[in-house]
Amino acid sequence: MSPNFIEVFPDQFTYEGNRALIFKIEEKIPVKELKSCIKAALHYHKVKQLPRLGIEIV
C-alpha cells in the first residue's frame, strides 16, 4: 500500500502488503475515504509527484 494512504488514513483501514485494503464483512466501510484512495490510485501517474498523492486529509 502506498505510504501516502497510510499517512493520510492511518486508522480508517487495515492494510496488507503494498496493495491491499482489508475489510471485515461486519465492518462499516469509510466510503468517503475509500473514494479518495480509489481516485488517487486511478490517477496515480498524474498525481504521483504531489504530497500524499494529492489526497486531502479529512
Side-chain angles (χ1 to χ4, degrees):
M1 185 57 47
S2 168
N4 295 301
F5 290 170
I6 296 169
E7 178 185 331
V8 177
F9 305 115
D11 302 319
Q12 289 86 344
F13 301 110
T14 300
Y15 301 95
E16 181 178 280
N18 292 331
R19 305 209 185 275
L21 296 172
I22 306 299
F23 300 100
K24 295 180 181 172
I25 292 176
E26 67 277 359
E27 181 178 5
K28 185 176 186 302
I29 296 174
V31 175
K32 183 176 180 181
E33 293 87 347
L34 182 58
K35 284 181 180 183
S36 293
C37 291
I38 292 170
K39 181 179 177 182
L42 292 174
H43 291 99
Y44 177 75
H45 291 289
K46 291 182 180 180
V47 299
K48 64 184 175 184
Q49 76 285 356
L50 300 175
R52 295 180 313 277
L53 301 177
I55 301 171
E56 294 189 26
I57 298 175
V58 288

